Amino acid sequence: MEPKNTPIHPSSPLSILYRKIELKVPLVIGTLQWGTTVIDDKFINSKGVITEKAAQQIVEEFSSAGVTLYDTAEGYGGGTSEKRVGRLLGKNAIFMTKFLPAPWRLFHSDLEWAVRQSCKRLQVQQIPIYLLHSPVHWREIEYWVEACAICYKKGLILSMGLSNWRQCRSGAKSSHCRRKVWRPGRLQSSAFLSAGLQFERAA
């Protein structure tokens, strides 16, 4: 059964979110290969690190075509991809970056620290789309969604989503996440968890 397309009221939180994250062209540019470390040079990029000139040419080419969304992550080049994206694009693009819930990250404050560091590297005050990067942590997804909710209320992120999660797992968790996180007073907007979903293909 096909889902019904319910009209979105112009003053609703979801409508406001869509206006803030408006894409002229429905295309995103990945920047995994924009890192500048030795690992990027020797292993990630078969032909070595992409030069600043080449990256600038990529930006100019896609910008002229109306493409404004760039996907990066704190783990891409140890943050050097984020730095390059921020350096070359500034406020002229929409950023989508990611938090890696590594085993040594235990608390909500760890995610907030990561968000603030990404903001510095991207040279922005707020990240439009923040993704949880892979289900590799022993904590449940709900814990990290709550951490994102805290950052949302502090104005550090506008929306969040999931990256590299199997669709079946995220689907099983989604209703529980909403019940646990979207309690009265916890979030001002349910549009917060709506912007990004990147699923890995099931084996």
Side-chain angles (χ1 to χ4, degrees):
M1 183 177 181
E2 292 295 325
K4 295 181 179 180
N5 293 321
T6 304
I8 301 174
H9 193 277
S11 63
S12 71
L14 192 57
S15 178
I16 294 171
L17 172 62
Y18 288 162
R19 289 200 299 273
K20 288 184 177 180
I21 305 178
E22 182 178 357
L23 302 181
K24 295 179 181 179
V25 179
L27 181 68
V28 58
I29 307 302
T31 62
L32 170 63
Q33 297 179 313
W34 285 28
T36 60
T37 67
V38 173
I39 293 177
D40 293 293
D41 187 48
K42 301 299 182 182
F43 301 102
I44 303 299
N45 302 320
S46 59
K47 297 182 180 180
V49 167
I50 297 175
T51 66
E52 198 82 350
K53 182 179 179 180
Q56 183 64 56
Q57 289 175 337
I58 292 172
V59 170
E60 292 174 355
E61 183 74 20
F62 282 100
S63 294
S64 65
V67 179
T68 57
L69 180 59
Y70 285 77
D71 174 84
T72 184
E74 62 171 357
Y76 293 176
T80 58
S81 172
E82 286 183 328
K83 285 184 177 180
R84 178 175 275 186
V85 169
R87 186 167 60 249
L88 296 180
L89 291 157
K91 297 180 180 179
N92 299 318
I94 299 171
F95 302 124
M96 179 163 61
T97 192
K98 310 178 191 73
F99 168 77
L100 182 64
W104 57 85
R105 288 175 156 170
L106 305 176
F107 307 109
H108 288 163
S109 58
D110 291 322
L111 184 138
E112 181 176 335
W113 183 88
V115 170
R116 292 184 183 278
Q117 293 303 308
S118 287
C119 283
K120 289 181 181 178
R121 289 189 289 266
L122 291 167
Q123 302 180 33
V124 296
Q125 298 296 316
Q126 182 187 64
I127 296 173
I129 305 172
Y130 198 63
L131 307 181
L132 299 179
H133 202 176
S134 303
V136 298
H137 203 277
W138 56 270
R139 282 195 184 277
E140 294 289 340
I141 177 179
E142 292 88 350
Y143 185 83
W144 297 117
V145 172
E146 286 183 336
C148 287
I150 293 170
C151 290
Y152 167 81
K153 294 181 73 173
K154 291 184 177 182
L156 295 172
I157 63 176
L158 178 61
S159 60
M160 69 157 292
L162 307 175
S163 175
N164 293 341
W165 291 68
R166 292 188 182 275
Q167 189 169 1
C168 58
R169 175 172 178 176
S170 64
K173 293 286 186 181
S174 62
S175 60
H176 182 52
C177 288
R178 284 194 291 269
R179 287 198 303 272
K180 186 171 182 179
V181 177
W182 294 343
R183 295 194 296 268
R186 287 301 295 274
L187 279 180
Q188 297 176 0
S189 167
S190 60
F192 157 74
L193 186 62
S194 66
L197 291 172
Q198 297 181 348
F199 293 126
E200 65 179 8
R201 184 173 297 176

